Every structure is written in structure tokens, then in C-alpha cells.
Amino acid sequence: MLTVNPFDTFRNWALVTAKDGEKHNSMVIGWGTLGVLWRKDVAIVFVREDRYTYEFIEKAEQFTISFYDQKYLEQLKIYGSKSGKDFDKDQLAGFNPLKVYDTVTYEEADVTIVCKKMFQTRLNDQDFTDNIPVDFYENIDKSVRHHMYVGQIIEIIEK
């Protein structure tokens, strides 16, 4: 049973984390949704293809979405402003990775949603029915877009 409001929680920052071998990477996300699709409980996240985390989530079979108390806002800013290519974000933030299933979350997380990737697709400009490409991608390289990942919820872990 999920005891957080997903609308508020996604707006207040969450981390998506994926693992490739022994390495993992996390990034802040502000877009996401929870629901039912194909008769399964699912979580949907969006990752731009120019993000380092994209390389991990593309290869991973599982990913986590983790939510935090607002007291961690400064640490979460590190995951939103630094690249895992250049920095050990976990060390900079002082977060402690925690293995769950075949992926990673953090000991500091209040809630972690563990997902098995079911579907992924690239969001292409021609598929939008309104001005989203203009409103959200106008100042971004036209070749860079978000990818949508649908994950079946395996478990919800709460402190």
C-alpha cells in the first residue's frame, strides 16, 4: 500500500536509479506516473537520451523510483545537477546505496518503488497532439528527446 501522494511526490523530486553490472546511476525526475496498464500495477518514468542514466536504464531489466523527505533537498540537487560520468554523486550527497532485487535504491529513501521494465519508447515530435514539443523542447537540441519507460511494480518498500 502506497502511503504517499504520487502527484505531490513527483513534483517534489524523486530519483530514478538503474544498474548495469556493478555500476548504477541515479538522476532526479519530476515527471512520472503510477497506474494500471495491461492489468498490471505500473510506474512510468521519462529519461532524456542525453542523460548518463539513460545508458543504464536502457540496459537494465529493473529500475527504482525513490522518494525522500524534504530534509534531503540539498542532496537531491546533486543528483539533478551533476553527471555520474564525472562525479560519484552518492559520495557527494552522502547517500548510501542499497541493493534491492537486481537494482539499487538508497537507505535514505522513505519510499522505493521497484519496477521490472515492460515497455519503452522514444517520444517523437510527430506523435504529439499539442504544443508540447514547442513548450518543452524549444531550447533543446532537436535530436534529443525523452524516452518513456513503463515498469511493472514488483514491490513498494516503505520505511
Side-chain angles (χ1 to χ4, degrees):
M1 174 64 99
L2 186 61
T3 59
V4 297
N5 179 332
F7 299 104
D8 291 338
T9 306
F10 276 110
R11 284 187 187 107
N12 291 329
W13 295 10
L15 293 181
V16 64
T17 304
K19 183 173 168 281
D20 180 21
E22 294 304 311
K23 293 174 62 177
H24 68 274
N25 198 66
S26 304
M27 64 175 264
V28 167
I29 57 171
W31 297 0
T33 188
L34 302 173
V36 177
L37 186 61
W38 304 307
R39 295 187 196 129
K40 298 180 187 304
D41 295 341
V42 299
I44 302 172
V45 295
F46 302 84
V47 178
R48 262 191 14 212
E49 56 204 10
D50 61 348
R51 301 295 189 223
Y52 187 49
T53 303
Y54 169 77
E55 297 174 25
F56 288 80
I57 200 166
E58 275 289 301
K59 295 176 185 173
E61 292 182 23
Q62 299 175 0
F63 61 91
T64 60
I65 306 165
S66 50
F67 304 99
Y68 299 83
D69 186 279
Q70 285 300 293
K71 70 182 179 184
Y72 291 113
L73 183 59
E74 291 305 311
Q75 288 91 330
L76 292 170
K77 287 180 182 178
I78 291 168
Y79 290 93
S81 64
K82 306 281 185 201
S83 172
K85 284 183 182 177
D86 304 318
F87 297 94
D88 181 337
K89 295 189 275 186
D90 297 343
Q91 184 178 21
L92 285 173
F95 274 17
N96 299 292
L98 180 65
K99 185 178 183 323
V100 293
Y101 293 84
D102 192 30
T103 191
V104 174
T105 188
Y106 295 96
E107 290 178 13
E108 292 76 13
D110 287 336
V111 176
T112 296
I113 300 174
V114 183
C115 298
K116 177 182 175 231
K117 194 166 57 173
M118 299 172 58
F119 177 80
Q120 62 193 63
T121 192
R122 184 178 194 268
L123 303 184
N124 296 302
D125 288 359
Q126 68 271 15
D127 297 327
F128 288 95
T129 58
D130 63 11
N131 287 332
I132 296 295
V134 172
D135 295 344
F136 282 89
Y137 297 110
E138 188 172 50
N139 297 319
I140 297 173
D141 179 345
K142 298 286 186 238
S143 68
V144 176
R145 290 296 177 260
H146 283 87
H147 286 241
M148 178 178 72
Y149 299 91
V150 178
Q152 179 181 355
I153 297 173
I154 298 171
E155 184 176 355
I156 298 173
I157 303 167
E158 294 190 74
K159 276 188 179 176

